[in-house]
Amino acid sequence: MDFNKLLVKIKETAKLVDEYMLNNLKGRVKKLYEASQHLIKGGGKRLRPFLVLTSYNVFRDDIERALPIAAAIEIFHTFTLIHDDIMDQDETRRGLPTVHVIWGVPFAILTGDLLHAKTYELLTKANIKTEIALQIAREMAESAVRICEGQAMDMDFETRTDVTVEEYIEMIRGKTAFLFRSSARFGALAAEAQEDMIEALTNYGDYLGIAFQMVDDIIGLFGEKKETGKPVGSDIRESKKTYPILYALNNAPEEKRKRLLEILTLKTKTENDIREAIDIIRKSGGEEATRNLARTYAQKAIDAIKNLPENAPKQYLIQLAQFAIERSY
Amino acid sequence: MDFNKLLVKIKETAKLVDEYMLNNLKGRVKKLYEASQHLIKGGGKRLRPFLVLTSYNVFRDDIERALPIAAAIEIFHTFTLIHDDIMDQDETRRGLPTVHVIWGVPFAILTGDLLHAKTYELLTKANIKTEIALQIAREMAESAVRICEGQAMDMDFETRTDVTVEEYIEMIRGKTAFLFRSSARFGALAAEAQEDMIEALTNYGDYLGIAFQMVDDIIGLFGEKKETGKPVGSDIRESKKTYPILYALNNAPEEKRKRLLEILTLKTKTENDIREAIDIIRKSGGEEATRNLARTYAQKAIDAIKNLPENAPKQYLIQLAQFAIERSY
């Protein structure tokens, strides 16, 4: 499938959002705002703001009222990346040294906190109806709570070997899908769409987020550093329980299953251990199974918006769901 | 001065706020909510929620509409304490091990983030007029930004030896006074007080917060562990630039001034170094000078509310300003 037109549109949107974000990340204490802009300047696809704006554009042609919300969502996402990188002790992201590597852990914690606060500042300043602005701010806070819960589950799973697929889905629904869900939903809310349209886009975002995370799980295992900007096999190193890993634990031959479990419970893993684990997962069919399940969720996302008005933004949303599962970065 | 009646009232309010907070810190992932309740269960004076409710009670007799705001402010404060303790590597707080000591740094970061999000969740759920709720949420986010900036300045000052009193005031205005300011202001906003009354309480909170931090600086240097719940002299250990330290750096005899500067720039400080530094500050008159300046700000706070209606809550606010400078814990 040819995603060129979609990718051009995503890039155009990213430019607007980046400009808006950087203009709003200014204030006292130069170093703090430099650190807050670091990852943003490192690039990134900006899929969440694209989702806000495209969801909004299904109903309205302008972008004015949705842009601050789109920027707020990406600023929130940046906050979670900075804190996640500290928690996971990841040293590179988007090919750059992470914020705590450059400015130290204390300052990186603070930079994340600043961006978290900026999220609500931008949301509450958006030029939309008071009751909708308040609803979005409230739902953003509720989303943040769910995202923290998902992250806590993810960390908890690192020390567990009996994680079920159901638990995994619950975890990624919080950790990743909730922000996709809120992005699509907030765009529709800001456009003052009808209740059933808002619900359709909420479900679309939820399913898309699940599909997206599953593909991220694949990239996190098999992706090349030049594409991911992260070291190969970092999910194995951190004993994460991602879908391909769970799949291999449930489906690899007994001998291999045991060995994979052994590697995952090692405190320090050698490059060889990691290579061996990746090989076991690959041979168990973990990659294909994960992409197939992701495809199912992407289809659910597309089905969820079937009653949306037929227009270009709707087509972009359909393509985005297809792109989310075919991408390799 | 006898603060018994005030202290009883503060305790009564604390009980209501604690109950409300703990009831609202429940959700998925047990460990996350245990960690989020840890410092709250450790006690604390709850001066900020007291300020919200008392400011509200100047105009209204109930507390219903102000209680969620009071709880939100204390939850925000708890978030900052958890992250500050990580940044400062403090191992005890309120006589308890800090959150990162019990649950580890990654989980403590996440716990702080949860409480930060919960702040906005509670604020946006308060049963008050939509436009006032949105204003409070927006101002809370702006306060959080200012508080992060203040914290960044505080950290920056640790490596500097040329901090001026003006810079110090700007730093504590962000780091500490802004939350006092917002507490007093939000109470008045929730009560739908007149503009000049809101302004008066905003200024009261700002001045009170400055006075409060100056006395905290004294306690941070000269306080006993059993009163502060923290090790003696931790501000010296971390090379903070608090007011008594700045005073000694500006007023101690040249020999002593040099020695103090030397100790402050040591990477690792012995117990003897810390004792010596405290002694230099004490002999320079740093404690008295700080308490005198705090007294000036407390008086400004009291003057700011002179036009408030004469009633019991106003009297509590006056006493609170007096208590803030006389307290030793």
Side-chain angles (χ1 to χ4, degrees), chain A residues 27-29 32-33 79 83 86-87 106-107 109-110 113-114 116-118 120-121 124-125 130-131 133-134 137-138 141-142 144-146 148-149 151-153 155 170, chain B residues 27-29 31-33 79 83 86-87 106-107 109-110 113-114 116-118 120-121 124-125 130-131 133-134 137-138 141-142 144-146 148-149 151-153 155 170:
Chain A
R28 288 170 192 79
V29 198
L32 184 61
Y33 287 90
F79 138 61
H83 280 194
I86 304 171
M87 296 182 209
F107 209 77
I109 294 174
L110 190 61
D113 293 341
L114 176 81
H116 193 183
K118 276 280 171 186
Y120 303 100
E121 192 189 295
T124 51
K125 275 181 178 165
T130 309
E131 61 265 33
L134 186 64
R138 184 175 60 241
E142 289 164 351
V145 168
R146 282 296 299 270
C148 288
E149 290 174 348
Q151 176 70 7
M153 290 178 76
M155 289 162 74
E170 193 193 345
Chain B
R28 289 170 191 78
V29 198
K31 198 169 81 166
L32 185 61
Y33 288 90
F79 137 61
H83 280 194
I86 304 171
M87 297 182 207
F107 209 77
I109 294 174
L110 190 62
D113 293 342
L114 176 81
H116 193 183
K118 275 279 170 187
Y120 303 99
E121 191 190 296
T124 51
K125 275 182 176 164
T130 309
E131 60 264 35
L134 186 65
R138 184 175 60 241
E142 290 165 351
V145 168
R146 283 296 301 270
C148 288
E149 290 173 347
Q151 176 70 7
M153 291 179 77
M155 289 162 74
E170 193 193 346

Coordinates of all heavy atoms in Angstrom, one line a residue, chain A residues 27-29 32-33 79 83 86-87 106-107 109-110 113-114 116-118 120-121 124-125 130-131 133-134 137-138 141-142 144-146 148-149 151-153 155 170, chain B residues 27-29 31-33 79 83 86-87 106-107 109-110 113-114 116-118 120-121 124-125 130-131 133-134 137-138 141-142 144-146 148-149 151-153 155 170:
Chain A
G27 N 10.0 30.4 29.0 CA 9.7 31.0 30.4 C 11.0 31.2 31.1 O 12.1 31.3 30.5
R28 N 10.9 31.4 32.4 CA 12.0 31.6 33.3 C 13.0 30.4 33.3 O 12.5 29.3 33.0 CB 11.6 31.8 34.8 CG 10.9 33.1 35.0 CD 10.3 33.1 36.4 NE 9.4 34.2 36.6 CZ 8.2 34.3 36.2 NH1 7.7 33.3 35.5 NH2 7.4 35.3 36.4
V29 N 14.2 30.6 33.6 CA 15.2 29.5 33.7 C 15.4 28.8 32.4 O 14.8 27.8 32.1 CB 14.8 28.4 34.8 CG1 16.0 27.6 35.2 CG2 14.1 29.1 36.0
L32 N 15.9 24.9 31.8 CA 14.7 24.1 32.0 C 13.9 24.0 30.7 O 13.4 22.9 30.3 CB 13.8 24.7 33.1 CG 12.5 24.0 33.5 CD1 12.8 22.6 34.0 CD2 11.7 24.8 34.5
Y33 N 13.8 25.1 29.9 CA 13.1 25.1 28.7 C 13.9 24.5 27.6 O 13.3 23.9 26.7 CB 12.6 26.5 28.4 CG 11.4 26.9 29.3 CD1 11.7 27.5 30.5 CD2 10.1 26.5 29.0 CE1 10.6 27.7 31.4 CE2 9.1 26.7 29.9 CZ 9.3 27.3 31.1 OH 8.3 27.6 32.0
F79 N 6.5 14.4 27.9 CA 6.7 14.2 29.4 C 6.8 12.7 29.7 O 7.7 12.3 30.4 CB 5.5 14.9 30.2 CG 5.0 14.1 31.3 CD1 5.8 13.8 32.4 CD2 3.6 13.7 31.4 CE1 5.3 13.1 33.5 CE2 3.1 13.0 32.4 CZ 4.0 12.7 33.5
H83 N 10.2 10.8 31.4 CA 10.2 10.0 32.7 C 10.4 8.5 32.4 O 11.1 7.8 33.2 CB 8.9 10.2 33.4 CG 8.9 11.5 34.2 ND1 7.9 11.9 35.2 CD2 9.7 12.6 34.2 CE1 8.2 13.1 35.7 NE2 9.3 13.5 35.1
I86 N 14.0 7.7 32.1 CA 14.7 7.6 33.4 C 14.4 6.2 34.1 O 15.3 5.5 34.5 CB 14.2 8.7 34.4 CG1 14.4 10.1 33.8 CG2 15.0 8.6 35.7 CD1 13.8 11.2 34.6
M87 N 13.1 5.9 34.1 CA 12.7 4.6 34.7 C 13.4 3.4 34.1 O 13.8 2.5 34.8 CB 11.2 4.5 34.6 CG 10.4 5.5 35.4 SD 8.6 5.2 35.3 CE 8.0 6.9 35.4
P106 N 17.8 14.3 38.3 CA 16.9 15.3 39.0 C 16.3 16.3 38.0 O 15.1 16.5 38.1 CB 17.9 16.0 40.0 CG 18.9 14.9 40.3 CD 19.1 14.2 39.0
F107 N 17.1 16.8 37.2 CA 16.6 17.9 36.3 C 15.7 17.3 35.2 O 14.7 17.9 34.8 CB 17.8 18.6 35.6 CG 17.5 20.0 35.2 CD1 17.5 21.0 36.2 CD2 17.2 20.3 33.9 CE1 17.2 22.3 35.8 CE2 16.9 21.6 33.5 CZ 16.9 22.6 34.5
I109 N 13.6 14.8 35.8 CA 12.3 14.6 36.5 C 11.6 15.9 36.4 O 10.4 15.9 36.1 CB 12.6 14.1 37.9 CG1 13.2 12.8 38.0 CG2 11.2 14.2 38.7 CD1 13.6 12.3 39.4
L110 N 12.3 17.0 36.8 CA 11.6 18.3 36.8 C 11.2 18.7 35.4 O 10.1 19.3 35.3 CB 12.7 19.3 37.3 CG 12.2 20.7 37.7 CD1 11.1 20.6 38.8 CD2 13.4 21.6 38.1
D113 N 8.0 17.0 34.7 CA 6.9 17.7 35.5 C 6.4 19.0 34.9 O 5.2 19.3 34.8 CB 7.4 17.9 36.9 CG 7.6 16.7 37.7 OD1 7.1 15.6 37.3 OD2 8.4 16.7 38.7
L114 N 7.4 19.7 34.3 CA 7.0 21.0 33.7 C 6.1 20.7 32.5 O 5.1 21.4 32.3 CB 8.3 21.7 33.2 CG 8.0 23.0 32.4 CD1 7.7 24.2 33.3 CD2 9.2 23.3 31.5
H116 N 4.3 18.1 31.9 CA 3.0 17.6 32.4 C 2.1 18.8 32.8 O 0.9 18.9 32.4 CB 3.2 16.7 33.6 CG 2.0 15.9 34.0 ND1 2.0 15.1 35.1 CD2 0.8 15.8 33.5 CE1 0.8 14.5 35.2 NE2 0.1 14.9 34.3
A117 N 2.6 19.8 33.5 CA 1.8 21.0 33.9 C 1.4 21.8 32.6 O 0.3 22.2 32.5 CB 2.6 21.8 34.8
K118 N 2.4 21.9 31.7 CA 2.1 22.6 30.4 C 0.9 22.0 29.7 O 0.2 22.7 29.0 CB 3.4 22.6 29.6 CG 4.4 23.7 29.9 CD 3.9 25.1 29.3 CE 4.8 26.2 29.8 NZ 4.3 27.5 29.4
Y120 N -1.9 20.8 30.8 CA -3.1 21.4 31.3 C -3.2 22.9 31.0 O -4.3 23.4 30.8 CB -3.3 21.0 32.8 CG -3.2 19.6 33.0 CD1 -2.1 19.0 33.5 CD2 -4.3 18.7 32.8 CE1 -2.0 17.6 33.7 CE2 -4.3 17.4 32.9 CZ -3.1 16.8 33.4 OH -3.0 15.4 33.6
E121 N -2.1 23.5 31.0 CA -2.1 25.0 30.7 C -2.6 25.2 29.3 O -3.5 26.0 29.1 CB -0.7 25.5 30.9 CG -0.7 27.1 30.9 CD 0.8 27.6 30.8 OE1 1.5 27.4 31.8 OE2 1.0 28.3 29.8
T124 N -6.4 24.2 28.9 CA -7.4 25.2 29.6 C -7.4 26.5 28.9 O -8.2 27.4 29.2 CB -7.1 25.3 31.1 OG1 -5.7 25.6 31.3 CG2 -7.4 24.0 31.8
K125 N -6.4 26.7 28.0 CA -6.4 28.0 27.3 C -7.0 27.9 25.9 O -7.1 28.9 25.2 CB -4.9 28.5 27.1 CG -4.4 29.2 28.4 CD -3.0 29.6 28.1 CE -2.5 30.4 29.3 NZ -1.0 30.6 29.3
T130 N -16.5 26.9 27.2 CA -16.0 26.6 28.6 C -16.3 25.2 29.0 O -15.4 24.5 29.5 CB -16.7 27.6 29.5 OG1 -16.5 28.9 29.0 CG2 -16.0 27.6 30.9
E131 N -17.5 24.7 28.8 CA -17.8 23.4 29.3 C -17.1 22.3 28.6 O -16.7 21.3 29.2 CB -19.3 23.1 29.4 CG -20.0 23.1 28.0 CD -20.6 24.5 27.7 OE1 -20.1 25.5 28.2 OE2 -21.7 24.6 27.1
A133 N -14.0 22.8 27.2 CA -12.6 22.9 27.7 C -12.5 22.2 29.0 O -11.5 21.5 29.3 CB -12.2 24.4 27.8
L134 N -13.4 22.4 29.9 CA -13.4 21.8 31.3 C -13.4 20.2 31.1 O -12.7 19.5 31.8 CB -14.5 22.3 32.2 CG -14.4 21.8 33.6 CD1 -13.1 22.3 34.3 CD2 -15.6 22.3 34.4
A137 N -10.1 19.0 29.9 CA -9.1 19.0 30.9 C -9.3 17.8 31.9 O -8.4 17.2 32.4 CB -9.1 20.3 31.7
R138 N -10.6 17.6 32.3 CA -10.9 16.5 33.2 C -10.6 15.2 32.6 O -9.9 14.4 33.3 CB -12.4 16.6 33.6 CG -12.8 15.5 34.6 CD -14.2 15.7 35.1 NE -15.1 15.5 34.0 CZ -16.0 16.4 33.5 NH1 -16.1 17.6 34.2 NH2 -16.8 16.2 32.5
A141 N -6.9 14.6 32.6 CA -6.3 14.2 33.9 C -6.7 12.7 34.2 O -5.8 11.9 34.7 CB -6.9 15.0 35.0
E142 N -7.9 12.3 33.8 CA -8.3 10.9 34.0 C -7.4 10.0 33.1 O -7.0 8.9 33.5 CB -9.8 10.7 33.6 CG -10.7 11.3 34.7 CD -12.1 11.5 34.2 OE1 -12.4 11.3 33.0 OE2 -13.0 11.8 35.1
A144 N -4.4 10.6 32.1 CA -3.0 10.6 32.8 C -3.0 9.6 33.9 O -2.0 8.8 34.0 CB -2.7 12.0 33.3
V145 N -4.1 9.5 34.7 CA -4.1 8.5 35.7 C -4.1 7.1 35.2 O -3.3 6.3 35.6 CB -5.4 8.7 36.6 CG1 -5.7 7.5 37.5 CG2 -5.3 10.0 37.4
R146 N -4.9 6.9 34.1 CA -4.9 5.6 33.5 C -3.5 5.2 32.9 O -3.1 4.1 32.9 CB -5.9 5.5 32.3 CG -7.3 5.4 32.8 CD -7.6 4.0 33.5 NE -7.3 2.9 32.7 CZ -8.2 2.3 31.9 NH1 -9.4 2.7 31.9 NH2 -7.9 1.2 31.2
C148 N -0.6 6.3 34.0 CA 0.3 6.0 35.1 C 0.0 4.5 35.6 O 1.0 3.8 35.9 CB 0.1 6.9 36.3 SG 0.8 8.6 36.0
E149 N -1.3 4.2 35.6 CA -1.6 2.8 36.1 C -1.0 1.8 35.1 O -0.5 0.7 35.5 CB -3.1 2.7 36.2 CG -3.7 3.4 37.3 CD -5.3 3.4 37.4 OE1 -5.9 3.0 36.4 OE2 -5.8 3.8 38.4
Q151 N 1.5 2.1 33.1 CA 3.0 2.1 33.3 C 3.4 1.3 34.5 O 4.4 0.5 34.5 CB 3.5 3.6 33.4 CG 5.0 3.7 33.7 CD 5.9 3.3 32.5 OE1 5.4 3.0 31.4 NE2 7.2 3.3 32.7
A152 N 2.6 1.5 35.6 CA 2.9 0.7 36.8 C 2.7 -0.8 36.6 O 3.5 -1.6 37.0 CB 1.9 1.1 38.0
M153 N 1.7 -1.2 35.8 CA 1.5 -2.6 35.4 C 2.7 -3.1 34.6 O 3.2 -4.2 34.8 CB 0.2 -2.8 34.6 CG -1.1 -2.6 35.4 SD -2.6 -2.8 34.3 CE -2.6 -4.5 34.2
M155 N 5.7 -2.1 34.6 CA 6.9 -2.3 35.5 C 6.7 -3.5 36.4 O 7.7 -4.3 36.6 CB 7.1 -1.0 36.4 CG 7.6 0.2 35.6 SD 7.3 1.7 36.5 CE 8.6 1.6 37.7
E170 N -4.8 -5.2 29.0 CA -5.2 -4.1 30.0 C -4.1 -3.1 30.2 O -4.3 -1.9 30.3 CB -5.6 -4.8 31.3 CG -6.4 -3.8 32.2 CD -6.5 -4.3 33.6 OE1 -6.3 -5.5 33.9 OE2 -6.8 -3.4 34.5
Chain B
G27 N -7.6 2.9 43.0 CA -7.7 2.6 41.6 C -7.0 1.3 41.3 O -6.7 0.5 42.2
R28 N -6.7 1.1 40.0 CA -6.0 -0.1 39.6 C -4.6 -0.1 40.1 O -4.1 0.9 40.4 CB -5.9 -0.2 38.0 CG -7.2 -0.4 37.3 CD -7.0 -0.2 35.8 NE -8.2 -0.2 35.1 CZ -9.1 0.8 35.1 NH1 -8.8 2.0 35.8 NH2 -10.2 0.8 34.4
V29 N -4.0 -1.3 40.2 CA -2.6 -1.4 40.7 C -2.4 -1.0 42.1 O -2.0 0.2 42.4 CB -1.6 -0.7 39.7 CG1 -0.2 -1.2 39.9 CG2 -2.0 -0.8 38.3
K31 N -0.2 -1.4 44.5 CA 1.1 -0.8 44.9 C 1.2 0.7 44.6 O 1.7 1.4 45.4 CB 2.2 -1.6 44.2 CG 3.5 -1.5 44.9 CD 4.6 -2.5 44.3 CE 5.2 -2.0 43.0 NZ 6.4 -2.7 42.6
L32 N 0.7 1.1 43.5 CA 0.8 2.5 43.1 C 0.0 3.4 44.0 O 0.5 4.4 44.4 CB 0.2 2.6 41.6 CG 0.3 4.0 41.0 CD1 1.7 4.4 40.8 CD2 -0.4 4.0 39.6
Y33 N -1.2 2.9 44.4 CA -2.0 3.7 45.3 C -1.5 3.7 46.8 O -1.6 4.6 47.5 CB -3.5 3.4 45.2 CG -4.0 3.9 43.9 CD1 -3.9 3.1 42.7 CD2 -4.4 5.2 43.8 CE1 -4.3 3.6 41.5 CE2 -4.8 5.7 42.5 CZ -4.8 4.9 41.4 OH -5.2 5.4 40.2
F79 N 2.9 15.4 45.7 CA 3.6 15.1 44.5 C 5.0 15.8 44.5 O 6.0 15.1 44.2 CB 2.8 15.4 43.2 CG 3.5 16.1 42.1 CD1 4.6 15.4 41.5 CD2 3.1 17.4 41.7 CE1 5.2 16.1 40.4 CE2 3.8 18.0 40.6 CZ 4.9 17.4 40.0
H83 N 8.8 13.9 44.5 CA 9.9 14.2 43.4 C 11.1 15.0 44.0 O 12.2 14.7 43.7 CB 9.3 14.9 42.2 CG 8.5 14.0 41.3 ND1 8.1 14.4 40.0 CD2 8.1 12.7 41.4 CE1 7.5 13.4 39.4 NE2 7.5 12.4 40.3
I86 N 13.4 12.6 45.7 CA 14.3 11.9 44.8 C 15.5 12.8 44.4 O 16.6 12.5 44.4 CB 13.5 11.4 43.5 CG1 12.3 10.6 43.9 CG2 14.5 10.7 42.6 CD1 11.4 10.3 42.7
M87 N 15.1 14.0 44.0 CA 16.1 15.0 43.4 C 17.2 15.3 44.5 O 18.3 15.4 44.2 CB 15.4 16.3 43.0 CG 14.4 16.1 41.9 SD 13.7 17.7 41.4 CE 12.1 17.2 40.7
P106 N 12.3 4.6 40.1 CA 11.3 4.6 39.0 C 9.9 4.7 39.5 O 9.1 5.5 39.0 CB 11.6 3.3 38.3 CG 13.0 3.0 38.6 CD 13.2 3.5 40.0
F107 N 9.6 3.8 40.5 CA 8.2 3.8 41.0 C 7.8 5.1 41.7 O 6.6 5.5 41.6 CB 8.0 2.6 41.9 CG 6.6 2.1 41.9 CD1 6.1 1.3 40.8 CD2 5.7 2.4 42.9 CE1 4.8 0.8 40.8 CE2 4.4 1.9 42.9 CZ 4.0 1.1 41.8
I109 N 8.9 8.1 40.9 CA 8.7 9.1 39.9 C 7.2 8.9 39.4 O 6.5 9.9 39.3 CB 9.6 8.9 38.7 CG1 11.1 9.2 39.1 CG2 9.2 9.8 37.5 CD1 12.1 8.9 38.0
L110 N 6.8 7.7 39.1 CA 5.5 7.4 38.7 C 4.4 7.8 39.7 O 3.4 8.3 39.3 CB 5.4 5.9 38.4 CG 4.2 5.4 37.6 CD1 4.1 6.1 36.2 CD2 4.3 3.9 37.4
D113 N 3.9 11.4 39.5 CA 3.1 11.7 38.3 C 1.7 11.4 38.5 O 0.8 12.2 38.0 CB 3.7 10.9 37.1 CG 5.1 11.3 36.7 OD1 5.5 12.4 37.1 OD2 5.8 10.5 36.0
L114 N 1.4 10.3 39.1 CA -0.1 10.0 39.4 C -0.7 11.1 40.2 O -1.8 11.6 39.9 CB -0.2 8.7 40.2 CG -1.6 8.3 40.6 CD1 -2.3 7.7 39.4 CD2 -1.6 7.3 41.8
H116 N 0.2 14.2 40.6 CA 0.1 15.4 39.8 C -1.1 15.4 38.9 O -1.9 16.4 38.8 CB 1.4 15.6 38.9 CG 1.6 16.9 38.3 ND1 2.6 17.2 37.4 CD2 0.8 18.0 38.3 CE1 2.5 18.4 37.0 NE2 1.4 19.0 37.5
A117 N -1.4 14.2 38.3 CA -2.6 14.1 37.4 C -3.9 14.2 38.3 O -4.8 14.8 37.9 CB -2.5 12.8 36.7
K118 N -3.8 13.5 39.4 CA -5.0 13.5 40.4 C -5.4 14.9 40.8 O -6.5 15.2 41.0 CB -4.6 12.7 41.6 CG -4.9 11.2 41.4 CD -6.3 10.9 41.6 CE -6.6 9.4 41.2 NZ -8.1 9.2 41.2
Y120 N -5.4 17.7 39.0 CA -6.3 18.2 38.0 C -7.6 17.5 37.9 O -8.7 18.1 37.6 CB -5.6 18.3 36.6 CG -4.3 19.1 36.7 CD1 -3.1 18.4 36.8 CD2 -4.3 20.5 36.7 CE1 -1.9 19.1 36.9 CE2 -3.2 21.2 36.8 CZ -2.0 20.5 36.9 OH -0.8 21.2 37.0
E121 N -7.6 16.2 38.2 CA -8.8 15.4 38.2 C -9.7 15.9 39.3 O -10.9 16.2 39.0 CB -8.5 13.9 38.4 CG -9.7 13.0 38.2 CD -9.5 11.6 38.6 OE1 -8.6 10.9 38.1 OE2 -10.2 11.2 39.6
T124 N -11.1 19.6 38.5 CA -12.1 19.7 37.4 C -13.4 19.0 37.7 O -14.3 19.0 37.0 CB -11.5 19.1 36.1 OG1 -11.0 17.8 36.3 CG2 -10.4 20.0 35.5
K125 N -13.4 18.3 38.9 CA -14.6 17.6 39.3 C -15.3 18.4 40.4 O -16.4 18.0 40.8 CB -14.3 16.2 39.9 CG -14.2 15.2 38.8 CD -13.9 13.8 39.4 CE -13.9 12.7 38.3 NZ -13.2 11.5 38.8
T130 N -18.8 26.3 36.0 CA -17.9 25.8 35.0 C -16.8 26.8 34.8 O -15.6 26.4 34.7 CB -18.7 25.6 33.7 OG1 -19.8 24.7 34.0 CG2 -17.9 24.8 32.7
E131 N -17.1 28.0 34.6 CA -16.0 29.0 34.3 C -15.0 29.2 35.4 O -13.8 29.4 35.2 CB -16.6 30.3 33.7 CG -17.4 31.1 34.7 CD -18.9 30.8 34.5 OE1 -19.3 29.7 34.1 OE2 -19.7 31.8 34.7
A133 N -14.3 26.7 37.6 CA -13.6 25.5 37.7 C -12.5 25.5 36.6 O -11.3 25.1 36.9 CB -14.5 24.3 37.5
L134 N -12.8 26.0 35.4 CA -11.8 26.1 34.4 C -10.7 27.1 34.7 O -9.5 26.8 34.5 CB -12.5 26.4 33.0 CG -11.6 26.4 31.8 CD1 -11.1 25.0 31.5 CD2 -12.3 27.0 30.6
A137 N -8.5 25.4 37.3 CA -7.6 24.4 36.6 C -6.5 25.1 35.9 O -5.3 24.6 35.9 CB -8.4 23.5 35.7
R138 N -6.8 26.1 35.1 CA -5.8 26.8 34.4 C -4.7 27.5 35.3 O -3.5 27.3 35.1 CB -6.4 27.9 33.5 CG -5.4 28.6 32.6 CD -6.1 29.6 31.6 NE -6.8 30.6 32.4 CZ -8.2 30.9 32.3 NH1 -8.9 30.1 31.5 NH2 -8.7 31.8 33.0
A141 N -2.4 24.9 36.7 CA -1.3 24.5 35.8 C -0.3 25.6 35.7 O 0.9 25.3 35.7 CB -2.0 24.3 34.4
E142 N -0.7 26.9 35.7 CA 0.3 28.0 35.6 C 1.1 28.0 36.9 O 2.3 28.2 36.9 CB -0.4 29.3 35.5 CG -1.0 29.5 34.1 CD -2.1 30.6 33.9 OE1 -2.4 31.2 35.0 OE2 -2.5 30.9 32.8
A144 N 1.8 25.4 38.7 CA 2.7 24.2 38.6 C 4.0 24.6 37.8 O 5.1 24.2 38.2 CB 2.0 23.0 38.1
V145 N 3.7 25.3 36.7 CA 4.9 25.8 35.9 C 5.8 26.7 36.7 O 7.0 26.5 36.7 CB 4.3 26.5 34.6 CG1 5.5 27.2 33.9 CG2 3.6 25.5 33.7
R146 N 5.2 27.6 37.4 CA 6.0 28.5 38.3 C 6.8 27.7 39.3 O 7.9 28.1 39.7 CB 5.1 29.6 38.9 CG 4.7 30.7 38.0 CD 5.9 31.5 37.5 NE 6.6 32.1 38.6 CZ 6.4 33.3 39.1 NH1 5.4 34.1 38.6 NH2 7.1 33.8 40.1
C148 N 7.8 24.6 39.2 CA 8.9 23.9 38.5 C 10.0 24.9 38.2 O 11.2 24.5 38.4 CB 8.4 23.3 37.2 SG 7.4 21.8 37.4
E149 N 9.7 26.1 37.8 CA 10.7 27.1 37.5 C 11.5 27.4 38.8 O 12.7 27.5 38.8 CB 10.1 28.3 36.9 CG 9.6 28.1 35.5 CD 8.9 29.3 34.9 OE1 8.5 30.2 35.7 OE2 8.7 29.4 33.7
Q151 N 11.8 25.5 41.5 CA 12.6 24.3 41.8 C 13.9 24.3 41.0 O 15.0 24.0 41.5 CB 11.8 23.1 41.6 CG 12.5 21.8 41.9 CD 12.8 21.5 43.3 OE1 12.4 22.3 44.2 NE2 13.6 20.5 43.6
A152 N 13.8 24.6 39.7 CA 15.0 24.7 38.8 C 16.0 25.7 39.3 O 17.2 25.5 39.2 CB 14.5 24.9 37.3
M153 N 15.5 26.9 39.7 CA 16.3 27.9 40.2 C 17.1 27.4 41.5 O 18.3 27.6 41.7 CB 15.6 29.2 40.6 CG 15.0 29.9 39.3 SD 14.0 31.4 39.8 CE 15.4 32.5 40.2
M155 N 17.8 24.4 42.3 CA 18.9 23.5 42.0 C 20.1 24.2 41.3 O 21.2 23.8 41.6 CB 18.3 22.4 41.0 CG 17.3 21.4 41.7 SD 16.3 20.6 40.5 CE 17.5 19.4 39.8
E170 N 12.9 35.6 44.4 CA 12.2 35.1 43.1 C 12.1 33.6 43.2 O 11.1 33.0 42.8 CB 13.0 35.6 41.9 CG 12.2 35.4 40.6 CD 13.0 35.5 39.3 OE1 14.2 36.0 39.4 OE2 12.5 35.1 38.3

